[in-house]
Amino acid sequence: MDNDDIPVGRILSRREALKLFSAVGAGMMLAACGSQNSTATTAPAATATTGTSAATAIPTATTAATSIASLPSCVVKPEMTVGPYFVDEQLNRSDIRSEPSDNSLRAGVPLTLNINVSQISSSACTALAGAMVDIWQCDAEGIYSGVTDAGFQTEGLKFLRGYQITDSNGDASFTTIFPGWYQGRTVHIHVKIRTTSNTNEAYEFTSQFYFDTALTNEILANAPYKAGSQRDTTNENDMHYANGGEQMLLSLTKTNDGYTAGFPIALDLSDAETGQADRFEQMQAPPR
């Protein structure tokens, strides 16, 4: 079921990233994710933590020059494919676990996901209010809602999909479950952010969140998840994770009944070409 498309958009080179923050001064440097042909360094892989606040558990970029330069308050993250399972259902809700047709909840380990969106410029990193943040994912059995696939038929269903509008602090919060797995992909959650560019053009950022492999194995070993030992793809051999996935790792903090995670995403709204739709997104039907 390896149906995800090739990555979309582009990843800032270190030269572009440094130029973006040039007006801030030598005291602020940005380490952006680089492609295989780039010399840019990437963020270290985050691991699951307990007893640590989401604010301190968020992965940040770093470089060899960390000892002589402080990091900015936000960093650019890599874009990745939208994949074949995006359905623009326009469901404005924070808790995406339910199926609206019967109000049933998808079983799984509870996960609270707090996303903070900001915009970057040559001189500032500020909260982005009014942006539409969509997330969508498979359930504990690896099934997506609203689509037809070789392994399932769920058209008309809407579980584990939804969007929120960022508040004045750039925050959007979701209640979901830890996702399951399916053949050909590591465990992940899709995210799409829609807003307007500095020139009032439509702007989209599409990427995927990932999870620490050891914690994933621990969670997938229990019901209602499929036997995790059968999965053929982890972060280490996932084709999309290889394109900067370590910068999209969620660092989870244990709660009484599940986990919580916070994650910052900064957008360069001066570049409206960043969020160009890939093949699967272009094939989507009009919103319904």
Side-chain angles (χ1 to χ4, degrees):
M1 198 184 296
D2 187 9
N3 293 326
D4 280 357
D5 201 8
I6 59 175
V8 298
R10 66 187 180 88
I11 298 172
L12 292 181
S13 70
R14 185 171 185 273
R15 181 186 297 273
E16 291 172 313
L18 290 173
K19 182 178 179 181
L20 187 63
F21 275 87
S22 61
V24 180
M28 299 184 73
M29 297 183 66
L30 174 68
C33 173
S35 64
Q36 291 181 346
N37 296 323
S38 172
T39 58
T41 57
T42 60
T47 57
T49 60
T50 57
T52 304
S53 69
T56 58
I58 294 170
T60 56
T62 187
T63 68
T66 301
S67 60
I68 60 173
S70 60
L71 293 173
S73 58
C74 61
V75 295
V76 176
K77 300 294 184 182
E79 282 207 292
M80 297 181 185
T81 177
V82 70
Y85 301 130
F86 175 63
V87 181
D88 202 353
E89 294 286 3
Q90 301 290 295
L91 293 173
N92 186 347
R93 57 180 184 170
S94 179
D95 190 335
I96 68 170
R97 295 174 298 172
S98 67
E99 166 49 46
S101 63
D102 59 10
N103 293 320
S104 60
L105 294 179
R106 306 310 280 189
V109 174
L111 172 63
T112 298
L113 178 56
N114 301 306
I115 301 171
N116 178 262
V117 184
S118 58
Q119 56 183 319
I120 59 178
S121 67
S122 60
S123 60
C125 175
T126 58
L128 180 62
M132 174 187 265
V133 181
D134 267 282
I135 67 169
W136 67 101
Q137 64 177 83
C138 68
D139 66 9
E141 297 182 350
I143 297 173
Y144 284 84
S145 68
V147 295
T148 297
D149 190 87
F152 52 85
Q153 194 345 305
T154 58
E155 285 194 11
L157 302 181
K158 302 178 180 181
F159 59 83
L160 297 177
R161 297 180 180 276
Y163 79 86
Q164 288 283 278
I165 302 297
T166 56
D167 62 17
S168 59
N169 296 315
D171 293 326
S173 181
F174 297 91
T175 300
T176 183
I177 62 169
F178 195 93
W181 64 275
Y182 53 93
Q183 186 178 5
R185 286 305 317 277
T186 191
V187 174
H188 62 283
I189 293 176
H190 294 270
V191 59
K192 177 186 288 292
I193 302 173
R194 287 178 275 192
T195 184
T196 55
S197 71
N198 291 343
T199 56
N200 291 322
E201 297 177 85
Y203 184 105
E204 292 189 4
F205 171 88
T206 305
S207 198
Q208 298 173 27
F209 295 121
Y210 299 97
F211 301 87
D212 172 72
T213 298
L215 179 61
T216 298
N217 291 338
E218 180 181 334
I219 292 175
L220 296 184
N222 301 287
Y225 297 92
K226 296 188 300 183
S229 60
Q230 298 177 5
R231 64 186 180 119
D232 62 348
T233 309
T234 62
N235 294 348
E236 290 69 28
N237 63 338
D238 183 87
M239 63 181 294
H240 299 303
Y241 183 87
N243 289 286
E246 73 281 353
Q247 288 206 39
M248 298 301 295
L249 274 166
L250 293 176
S251 186
L252 304 188
T253 299
K254 191 74 173 67
T255 63
N256 290 334
D257 61 348
Y259 294 90
T260 185
F263 200 88
I265 297 176
L267 305 179
D268 174 15
L269 299 184
S270 66
D271 183 7
E273 298 299 315
T274 300
Q276 293 296 303
D278 66 8
R279 179 169 60 87
F280 281 108
E281 192 167 12
Q282 293 168 354
M283 293 169 59
Q284 292 293 324
R288 62 180 187 271

